[in-house]
Amino acid sequence: MAQLWDGRELSVIILAGGFGRRLGRDKAQVGLGGETLLARAERRMALLSDDLVVVMRPGQESGPVASRVVRDRPPSTGVLAGLAAGLAAIRHP
């Protein structure tokens, strides 16, 4: 179980629900160094926490995700809705 330097447990929220309009495709599925951006974020954040929550928009394909996936509610309303969904799902402060 990963902990902060002072012993507190930590949850990590990965916001992966963006449409990637400027990029032209779903950012979570973009490849980098042989893995998707989402897989890379999960791998790196797993070093910090045993509680990873990935927030995606409804209907978005998650692919192979090691973390718990929650969906934006209400859908397609931006980063704050994603953050609210993630905060509602975490186990640690």
Side-chain angles (χ1 to χ4, degrees):
M1 181 177 317
Q3 297 180 341
L4 294 174
W5 64 274
D6 64 356
R8 291 180 291 151
E9 295 175 325
L10 173 73
S11 291
V12 173
I13 300 169
I14 301 172
L15 299 176
F19 284 99
R21 288 184 183 105
R22 289 175 290 188
L23 185 60
R25 56 187 174 184
D26 188 341
K27 290 182 282 188
Q29 301 306 319
V30 172
L32 177 66
E35 60 188 342
T36 64
L37 290 179
L38 178 55
R40 182 178 180 89
E42 283 186 298
R43 181 175 52 79
R44 300 293 299 266
M45 294 298 103
L47 300 173
L48 299 176
S49 177
D50 64 339
D51 184 30
L52 300 178
V53 175
V54 175
V55 181
M56 303 184 96
R57 67 184 178 277
Q60 182 180 13
E61 178 61 41
S62 64
V65 176
S67 310
R68 288 183 295 133
V69 174
V70 297
R71 302 294 175 168
D72 286 343
R73 288 187 188 92
S76 303
T77 54
V79 174
L80 290 179
L83 184 57
L87 288 171
I90 61 173
R91 290 190 286 243
H92 308 305

